[in-house]
Every structure is written in structure tokens, then in C-alpha cells.
Amino acid sequence: MSSTPPLFNTFRNIKRISEIVSVLLRYGLDDVVRFFGLESFYETGRKFFSKKYANSTPEDAFFSVRLRKALEELGPTFIKFGQIMSTRSDLFSPETLAELKRLQDHCEKIPFEKILKELEAGFPHSSDWKEIFESIDEIPLAAGSIAQTHRAVLKGGKPAVLKIMRPGIRSVIRSDIDVLTYLARHLESFHWNLGFHPVEMVNEFADQIFRELDFQNEAQSTDRLQKLFTDSPNVCFPKVYWEAVSGNILTLEEIKGTPLSQLDVSELTPEDRNQIAENLFHGVFMQCFEHGFFHADPHPGNLFVCPGNKIAFIDCGLTSFLDRRTGDLLAGLFYGMAADDSDRVVRAVIQLGDVDPEIAARREFYADIAAYVARFRSLPFEQIQVGSVLQDFFSKLRKYHVHCPSDILFLIKTISLLESDVVFVCPSFHFSTAAQPYLVRLIKQRWRPKTIRRALFQSADDLGRLISVLPSEIEQGLGLFKKGKIQIRLVHEGLEHMDQTVARSSWRIANMFFGCSLMLSGSIMILAEQFAKGASWLGEIGLAAFGISFLFLLGSNLPNWFFRNK
């Protein structure tokens, strides 16, 4: 049983747990409460919401709909958590995943007076925010769960978008993360074999949402991506106005276009729809497989269609890397699938998922991978869909407790969102055909002379570094050994019978010493009778001791002699 975090003992978090249970009960999610083992809060919630949730619309009869509405009511942390979970097909049904993707985080607008106070706090060295901005539109463009955005004009007449964090949102999210951590620990203690690690999931979620709360990080990511696509005619990112950036404030170039979520595709020609889908596809795949740094949340609200069907990405708070090593392992994975090479796939999976060698050596593990790889036998590269294959593959390995790495999870999420975006714009777009050059390039680059030469130089460099530090490491180890800071523990196996033999032999030797001592004492007492006149009793005692010692020694050794000869 996990120990309860001290912070949970505060009234605030106990109250929050009760609120969560109450909301779940009000939406008829009693099974969720029981699944988490929160019966102690169950009765409290029923006192406040004893009436069963009434279906207001026919769709509310579905569990997934009620879950989505409950998360929306619980606030920004749970909305974000649901949005991230909307890509976990290994945990939820397709109906639930589809409903989680509908989660919206539109919130109440922040009064403009509070916006001005945040500006003054964000730029303390400026006597007036008007030294930076010529004007700010009082009516917000959007009011999200984490931040609110306004149109603004910088000094010099540059149009911009001002993004201001909601006051107090960090403390709200930290408190909810504490509650989610408690619930995850409680769930792990309540269900010992879930097949996944709730605490690990919450930790990854906390890392993601705190990154979104870091506007400096978002500014740096946006700036990096904007520079990578400066010369691209089909993809762009907003420019960062660094003079108007602080911890809670982010100012970006205003994007002139239509959000993909508001795009009426029925008014577009087939050629435009195909070009938008193509630009969107190549924009994401270039980030992932060419630059190795990508926008990890390309949902329709974060994509704009600009004049000329150019695609603009906004809200770069959530980004991820795809390093060269992971790219090489993915290449090996896809190449093994296409070539029906189960050994290659197993080697790639072991390194990608940090699989325990004992699990990898199990026959059923290899058989499951071989059966999955067989599905792609003789399948052309263009028919391998990156997102779907990876998501399905790691879902099947979950029973072996093989965890999908976080960077691969981001990649799966990004490409899954891309697939849904492309289908929305142009259902006839050939996603697999467009992916073929990237997959082929990913695989071929492993065998380029430049790649092989780089790997050899890297290995030689590692070996040289090992040789150079080896003497000092040995000297340091010997020094620790001399100081007694290194202990050697020997564990024997199969020596149980020797332990028993040594114990019996020791007992026999002790008996021999005892018997001989008694016999020697008796002999001395018999001899002493001759010199001690009037002490005949010494001889009698000595004779008795001699007889007892003789019988004791005979009784101790006769059984051993008998069984040994037998």
C-alpha cells in the first residue's frame, strides 16, 4: 500500500477529491468511483448528489459522453489530461477516444482590468505597458483554460497576438496534479496488475502541462521552428517578439488565415483541398523525420490555412524531439516489418522500449512479435502507416509491460492527429503514398556511407574515451577497496548438503571431545584412589565416569559407522 502524500492530508485536497467524486456521481459514473477505490468519498458524494444523473439528450446515455462532460466540468487540468489520453488506444475504446478528442477548454473571460495588471507585473522595468504596445484590443480572441489571447499592436505598428496566462492557474494545476498523483498511487495499490503504470502516466502528464505553462519555453520552441521553415513556401510559424515576452506573457506575430477547425471544406475546390492536405502532411513529416523537432499538438485549433493554402502552426507549447538514434531504431523497426524480419524487429523493440532481456528471451514474446510482423509480409512501404502501426504495435506489447517511450508517444499522437486532420480536409488524400518517401529515406539513411562512417567514428571515439579513463577508474576502484568502501558478497548455490555435512561433523567432534574428557577424568580419579587413603569413593566415581564415557562414545559413533558401511 502506497503511503499517502503529506500534501493530501490538507483540507484543500480532501475537499477536491470530494468534488471530483461528486461530479463523477452526478454524471452517473459510479463505476469509475468504485474502480478507483474511493468508497470513503462515495457516501459523501451521494449526500450532495443523491439523485441519479438525468440524461438531457439521447447521446448522454453513452458512458463516453458523460465522461467527457465530467472532465470538462472538473476544469483545465482534467480537460488537458483527457486531451492527452485521447491518443491512448491501448487504454480506451474507439468511442471513448473519439469523445475525448471533443474536449473543449473554453473558459470564462478574464476582465480587461486584470489583463492590464498582469501586463504591469510582467514588465516591471517599464513604467507603462504603452512603451511596448501601441494598443490592445479589450475583447479577447479566445479564452482558454490556461491563457487568454488578445489582438495587439506593437510600437512601430506591427500587428501581434498577446497571450496572457490566467491568474492563479499554476497553483490550481499544481493542486490538481497532487490529487491526480494520489489517485494514481491509490489505483496502483488497489489494482496490482493493471498492465500500465498510472503514476508514470501522471508524471508524464505533469511534465507536459508544466511545459505548456512555461511561456519562455514556448517562445524558444516557436522561434526555433519559425527559423527552420523561414524559406518554406507552404509552411510557416509565427515570429516571436522577444521584447514583449515574459514569464506569463507571450507576444507573437498575428497569423492571417482561417483556423482549420473553422474551415468550410465544402466551399473549396478538390485541388485546394488536396493541396492543403499535402502541405499539412509535409509540414508535420518534415518536422518529425527531417528536422527531428516537431509540434506535438497539431489539432485543428492550432492550425491555420493562410492565403495560397499555406499552413501555419500556432501554440508551440508542446514540442518533442526525435533524435538520430530513435530515428535509426524506427528505421530498423519498419524495415524489419516490411522485410518480414522478426529478429530485426525484436532488436529494435528491445532498444526502443528498454525491454528487460529476460522478457525478450521468452518464446511467447518472440512469437507475438513474429505474428504481428507477418501481417506486413510482402507489404509495400507505401502501405505502412507510421502512427497506426506504432500505436497498435506498442498496444499489443503492453501485456509484457513494455512501455512506449515518451518521445514515441508524442510521435504517435502527432501523426494520429495529422491523419484525422488530413481526412477532415481531403478524405481522398493518399496518406500512405505521401509517407513512402519519408519511410524509404529513413531506412536508406542507415546504410549511407556517411551514416556508417559517423557510426564508426562514434564507436572509435567511445572506445578511445574508455581507454583514456580506464586507468583512473581502476585506480579509483582500488582506492575504494583499500578503504573498505567496496564489499564483496559471495552467494553460493547448490551447497546445502555441504552445510549439513559440516554441521554434523562439527557435532561429532564436539561429542568426541566431551566423551574423551569424561573418560580422561574417570581415569585420573581411579589413579588418585591409590594415593588418597580412605577415599575409595574416588575410584568408584572414576570407574562410573569411565563407563559412561565409553558408552557415550560408542552410542555417538556406532550409527554413523553402521550407515556408512551399509
Side-chain angles (χ1 to χ4, degrees):
M1 179 74 70
S2 305
S3 59
T4 303
L7 187 58
F8 177 70
N9 292 325
T10 65
F11 175 76
R12 180 183 62 183
N13 287 304
I14 293 175
K15 181 181 177 183
R16 182 57 170 156
I17 287 283
S18 299
E19 290 174 356
I20 293 169
V21 171
S22 299
V23 171
L24 293 175
L25 291 175
R26 186 148 57 85
Y27 282 92
L29 299 172
D30 306 56
D31 291 340
V32 176
V33 176
R34 294 191 188 95
F35 178 74
F36 277 89
L38 299 175
E39 282 80 359
S40 58
F41 295 91
Y42 184 82
E43 293 302 325
T44 304
R46 290 183 64 88
K47 291 178 183 178
F48 290 99
F49 300 103
S50 57
K51 186 177 180 181
K52 198 70 173 178
Y53 175 65
N55 298 334
S56 57
T57 64
E59 70 170 5
D60 287 349
F62 295 102
F63 167 84
S64 56
V65 175
R66 290 182 277 118
L67 177 62
R68 188 253 303 170
K69 290 188 175 183
L71 291 175
E72 286 179 340
E73 185 169 330
L74 287 171
T77 310
F78 291 85
I79 290 172
K80 291 292 182 184
F81 188 72
Q83 289 173 341
I84 291 173
M85 290 298 103
S86 66
T87 61
R88 297 297 301 268
S89 62
D90 57 328
L91 300 179
F92 301 101
S93 66
E95 295 78 17
T96 302
L97 293 175
E99 203 60 38
L100 290 176
K101 290 177 181 178
R102 294 179 57 192
L103 280 166
Q104 301 295 321
D105 57 356
H106 300 303
C107 297
E108 185 179 347
K109 297 177 182 178
I110 307 171
F112 191 67
E113 294 75 17
K114 290 187 177 181
I115 294 296
L116 296 182
K117 289 182 180 179
E118 290 296 316
L119 283 172
E120 293 171 0
F123 302 109
H125 301 295
S126 301
S127 58
D128 192 346
W129 59 268
K130 291 184 179 179
E131 294 181 3
I132 301 174
F133 298 94
E134 283 187 2
S135 64
I136 299 176
D137 193 346
E138 295 188 15
I139 301 175
L141 282 171
S145 57
I146 290 179
Q148 184 164 293
T149 56
H150 291 255
R151 279 195 176 92
V153 178
L154 292 168
K155 284 292 184 180
K158 291 183 289 188
V161 172
L162 175 65
K163 188 174 180 180
I164 300 178
M165 194 169 298
R166 298 185 76 89
I169 190 62
R170 283 193 177 93
S171 62
V172 171
I173 289 178
R174 285 195 187 97
S175 177
D176 280 347
I177 291 294
D178 289 333
V179 171
L180 283 173
T181 302
Y182 166 77
L183 292 175
R185 289 174 177 169
H186 186 67
L187 185 62
E188 284 192 356
S189 65
F190 199 70
H191 300 279
W192 64 273
N193 190 22
L194 287 169
F196 65 97
H197 295 296
V199 173
E200 187 177 308
M201 287 173 54
V202 172
N203 289 339
E204 290 180 0
F205 165 68
D207 179 62
Q208 293 181 38
I209 198 167
F210 284 131
R211 284 166 61 186
E212 290 191 53
L213 289 170
D214 185 355
F215 279 0
Q216 290 286 348
N217 172 71
E218 181 174 345
Q220 291 169 0
S221 298
T222 305
D223 189 60
R224 177 175 180 176
L225 288 166
Q226 189 267 332
K227 290 176 179 177
L228 287 173
F229 286 88
T230 298
D231 299 325
S232 173
N234 301 316
V235 178
C236 69
F237 288 81
K239 184 178 179 180
V240 179
Y241 296 123
W242 286 102
E243 68 273 18
V245 174
S246 73
N248 294 338
I249 298 169
L250 177 63
T251 308
L252 304 170
E253 173 190 6
E254 183 179 6
I255 298 295
K256 301 293 184 180
T258 305
L260 188 64
S261 58
Q262 300 176 15
L263 188 68
D264 188 353
V265 295
S266 63
E267 295 182 355
L268 301 174
T269 64
E271 292 77 14
D272 285 337
R273 294 173 68 171
N274 188 75
Q275 186 179 4
I276 292 171
E278 186 174 335
N279 291 343
L280 178 59
F281 176 89
H282 289 297
V284 171
F285 264 61
M286 285 178 66
Q287 292 174 55
C288 295
F289 297 107
E290 290 189 14
H291 300 304
F293 180 67
F294 57 94
H295 189 302
D297 194 22
H299 65 75
N302 287 340
L303 301 169
F304 277 69
V305 180
C306 303
N309 296 326
K310 192 172 187 176
I311 302 298
F313 292 75
I314 66 168
D315 285 350
C316 302
L318 195 59
T319 54
S320 186
F321 293 90
L322 189 66
D323 58 82
R324 185 181 291 113
R325 176 181 177 274
T326 304
D328 288 345
L329 293 175
L330 285 174
L333 181 66
F334 284 110
Y335 181 80
M337 288 180 175
D340 194 19
D341 188 346
S342 299
D343 291 331
R344 187 184 297 272
V345 173
V346 169
R347 289 196 297 271
V349 170
I350 289 173
Q351 296 181 71
L352 275 172
D354 295 327
V355 181
D356 188 332
E358 293 185 3
I359 295 177
R362 290 165 59 179
R363 183 176 298 178
E364 58 177 323
F365 177 81
Y366 187 91
D368 280 350
I369 289 183
Y372 186 81
V373 170
R375 295 168 47 185
F376 302 92
R377 185 175 291 126
S378 302
L379 191 69
F381 284 137
E382 62 267 18
Q383 294 186 26
I384 298 179
Q385 297 185 359
V386 181
S388 300
V389 167
L390 290 175
Q391 190 164 312
D392 190 30
F393 185 68
F394 280 100
S395 296
K396 291 185 179 302
L397 294 182
R398 189 163 60 88
K399 69 178 181 179
Y400 297 104
H401 302 285
V402 175
H403 303 298
C404 185
S406 58
D407 52 350
I408 303 298
L409 276 176
F410 278 123
L411 179 67
I412 292 172
K413 174 190 175 183
T414 300
I415 296 180
S416 298
L417 286 172
L418 172 65
E419 289 175 347
S420 61
D421 293 338
V422 166
V423 169
F424 166 71
V425 175
C426 184
S428 62
F429 182 79
H430 297 292
F431 193 97
S432 301
T433 303
Q436 180 185 8
Y438 292 94
L439 293 179
V440 172
R441 189 184 308 130
L442 188 68
I443 292 170
K444 284 184 176 179
Q445 73 182 8
R446 298 192 75 193
W447 310 113
R448 290 176 182 171
K450 182 179 179 181
T451 304
I452 296 174
R453 186 169 60 252
R454 184 175 61 240
L456 290 174
F457 276 121
Q458 182 65 47
S459 298
D461 182 64
D462 293 341
L463 182 60
R465 188 167 60 252
L466 175 63
I467 293 173
S468 65
V469 302
L470 192 59
S472 61
E473 292 290 336
I474 294 175
E475 183 180 0
Q476 184 180 2
L478 290 174
L480 293 173
F481 184 77
K482 289 179 180 178
K483 294 178 182 179
K485 294 184 178 181
I486 295 180
Q487 297 181 354
I488 299 176
R489 182 182 179 188
L490 300 178
V491 179
H492 64 74
E493 294 183 0
L495 301 180
E496 295 83 2
H497 297 299
M498 181 175 288
D499 288 344
Q500 296 173 7
T501 302
V502 170
R504 285 196 297 267
S505 299
S506 301
W507 181 249
R508 290 191 202 115
I509 292 172
N511 289 341
M512 288 288 292
F513 273 114
F514 176 76
C516 291
S517 299
L518 191 61
M519 183 177 291
L520 182 60
S521 300
S523 300
I524 292 173
M525 295 178 74
I526 292 172
L527 292 174
E529 179 188 7
Q530 300 177 7
F531 301 96
K533 296 180 179 180
S536 61
W537 54 272
L538 284 175
E540 295 174 357
I541 294 176
L543 185 61
F546 187 89
I548 292 172
S549 63
F550 177 78
L551 293 174
F552 177 79
L553 291 174
L554 184 64
S556 298
N557 291 280
L558 187 61
N560 294 322
W561 178 84
F562 174 76
F563 285 114
R564 185 168 57 250
N565 285 278
K566 185 177 179 181

